[in-house]
Amino acid sequence: MKALTWQGTGKVSVETVPDPVIAEPTDAVVRMTSTAICGSDLHLYDVLGMYLDKGDIIGHEPMGIVEEVGPEVTHVKPGDRVVIPFNISCGHCWMCTHGFMAQCETTQVREQDKGAALFGYTKLYGQVPGGQAEYLRVPQAQFGPIKVPQEHADERWLFLSDILPTAWQSVKYADVGEGDTCAVIGLGPVGQFATRVAKHLGAEQVIGVDNVPERLEMARRHGITVLDSNEVDDVPAAIRELTRGRGVDGVVDAVGMEAHGTPFQEVAQKAAGLLPDAMARKATETFGIDRMAAMRTAFDSVRRAGTVSLIGVYGGEADPMPMMQLFDRGVTMRMGQAHVKRWIDDIMPALQDDADPLGTEDLTTHKMALDEAPHGYEIFKNKEDGCIKVVLKP
């Protein structure tokens, strides 16, 4: 089969690799019909190469048609249309039964002291072959695959694999509900969905912050109040002005380690990515390498006794935190990988509504053949050609 493989920092290519097969009784093999490029895939592309081997298959936002199942897989069968969650969870361990699927005790990568294994995402998370390929072997398929209806285009369902449950969790973690105010820092794919989820869950005012014109315009289409950080000198002050001087009830940081505005940390992050693997891993684990401008904007924008939800990925182990500010203001923080299957039953009614209240079919800007994936990575990384979301069609 053909698959997109990591070949080095800033380089991916489509190669011919062996077809996946059933290896365990809980496996399935799924033929991919759509597989998206995620913002966190760019971390592999740019800064986390020390945790990858040349030839690793990447990608963790897949859906398709079940081709084959192991004998212990009974809830899906060949021919079913399914979405595959990005985290691999068993459904029966303590963590899974308590709703913490991203910490599944069956697939935890204990040798790296990390949570549940992830598709296509480095040695840190199990080095499991990913979904930017023609076929995907799905471990723990007795629980993971989400069966979806035959109606509607793939893009109505595809984002259940990651970014839609991620956005849903981010808003829930920000403790935003009926009548509240919410700010979302970063209007990439997760940020777009987070603004829409906040409105869907009854937030009175939702403010989105970004500096990319296409992202700002997309948010406006969905009734979001937007702030262009290129035009606003002090984003937190502008947010307070929109909220009677108090700040918003909840903030979602949907940017993470790629934030702009911290030149020293940008240099540190890029330098770590260029070191030999062993040294790069040590630098990542020892120094503050994340660009933290978005996080600091979130801290400064939330009201006293409010909640900040960090859903953008951070990778450094020693990043500086303004602990005095957070303690004095009584800020609650929640963060972590999305527990995908925890939220599916809550999200499904919106996806089954023909009105598409979450705008799932107004997110993808580029659809490409798998062979075009390297170009998709380039335009997504560089925010070229109005690119907000790339979906590959194997």
Side-chain angles (χ1 to χ4, degrees):
M1 70 170 183
K2 290 183 178 180
L4 188 73
T5 62
W6 186 86
Q7 297 293 328
T9 300
K11 184 179 180 182
V12 294
S13 65
V14 177
E15 306 291 341
T16 299
V17 301
D19 291 349
V21 297
I22 300 290
E24 300 290 340
T26 52
D27 286 350
V29 173
V30 177
R31 174 175 57 83
M32 300 288 92
T33 57
S34 293
T35 179
I37 300 176
C38 181
S40 55
D41 288 330
L42 298 181
H43 305 157
L44 312 183
Y45 195 65
D46 276 336
V47 298
L48 294 179
M50 71 288 288
Y51 298 111
L52 289 156
D53 289 330
K54 187 175 180 179
D56 280 355
I57 301 171
I58 54 182
H60 59 267
E61 295 187 2
M63 71 172 291
I65 306 299
V66 176
E67 292 280 305
E68 185 180 1
V69 298
E72 294 183 19
V73 178
T74 58
H75 82 292
V76 295
K77 64 185 186 302
D80 284 345
R81 189 187 194 194
V82 295
V83 176
I84 310 301
F86 76 98
N87 39 33
I88 302 169
S89 48
C90 71
H92 57 72
C93 70
W94 189 94
M95 287 290 180
C96 285
T97 57
H98 286 76
F100 305 124
M101 290 78 174
Q103 305 298 337
C104 174
E105 291 175 319
T106 300
T107 73
Q108 271 181 23
V109 187
R110 290 180 171 83
E111 62 270 24
Q112 299 287 350
D113 195 28
K114 293 293 183 285
L118 310 179
F119 286 104
Y121 213 79
T122 79
K123 297 173 185 176
L124 293 175
Y125 289 97
Q127 210 166 18
V128 181
Q132 289 172 9
E134 292 181 316
Y135 293 89
L136 177 68
R137 171 182 167 254
V138 181
Q140 303 297 326
Q142 83 290 345
F143 176 69
I146 302 160
K147 187 175 177 179
V148 297
Q150 296 297 327
E151 292 77 24
H152 300 296
D154 278 7
E155 287 71 27
R156 175 67 68 100
W157 314 106
L158 173 62
F159 305 121
L160 284 172
S161 59
D162 179 354
I163 59 172
L164 187 48
T166 293
W168 193 281
Q169 177 172 299
S170 76
V171 175
K172 286 291 190 178
Y173 274 18
D175 201 23
V176 170
E178 195 75 35
D180 288 334
T181 56
C182 175
V184 177
I185 314 302
L187 293 173
V190 171
Q192 296 287 344
F193 274 145
T195 60
R196 301 173 198 181
V197 169
K199 283 197 68 175
H200 182 70
L201 294 178
E204 182 177 293
Q205 184 178 30
V206 182
I207 302 163
V209 180
D210 208 295
N211 59 12
V212 179
E214 293 84 3
R215 292 177 172 188
L216 295 166
E217 180 54 35
M218 179 176 279
R220 284 192 192 98
R221 285 203 298 271
H222 292 269
I224 307 305
T225 300
V226 300
L227 293 175
D228 185 339
S229 57
N230 283 336
E231 297 180 357
V232 176
D233 292 333
D234 187 335
V235 169
I239 289 174
R240 287 192 293 273
E241 186 175 340
L242 289 168
T243 54
R244 303 174 190 171
R246 183 179 296 130
V248 287
D249 299 308
V251 181
V252 173
D253 170 2
V255 178
M257 68 165 105
E258 305 142 311
H260 300 288
T262 48
F264 176 79
Q265 287 170 316
E266 180 175 355
V267 170
Q269 188 182 77
K270 289 181 177 177
L274 295 174
L275 292 170
D277 284 356
M279 295 175 65
R281 286 193 290 267
K282 185 66 175 175
T284 300
E285 293 160 5
T286 306
F287 300 110
I289 66 159
D290 291 322
R291 307 183 222 175
M292 297 178 66
M295 189 189 296
R296 292 186 178 277
T297 298
F299 293 157
D300 290 342
S301 300
V302 73
R303 63 165 167 79
R304 288 179 176 271
T307 304
V308 171
S309 172
L310 302 180
I311 208 69
V313 175
Y314 287 92
E317 291 279 8
D319 291 318
M321 295 281 285
M323 296 306 298
M324 183 183 294
Q325 176 198 23
L326 296 172
F327 181 84
D328 172 69
R329 299 181 70 227
V331 171
T332 297
M333 289 176 59
R334 297 195 72 182
M335 64 192 81
Q337 303 276 12
H339 309 295
V340 172
K341 293 209 69 175
R342 175 177 177 172
W343 308 110
I344 298 303
D345 288 346
D346 294 336
I347 298 170
M348 269 296 188
L351 299 189
Q352 292 168 332
D353 184 340
D354 287 340
D356 191 19
L358 298 179
T360 56
E361 295 178 13
D362 183 27
L363 185 76
T364 303
T365 53
H366 292 72
K367 299 178 186 179
M368 299 181 176
L370 183 63
D371 286 337
E372 298 177 278
H375 176 62
Y377 269 78
E378 278 297 304
I379 63 171
F380 187 34
K381 172 191 171 184
N382 296 321
K383 303 178 178 69
E384 297 171 348
D385 193 31
C387 185
I388 295 176
K389 187 65 173 177
V390 178
V391 173
L392 305 173
K393 299 290 186 176

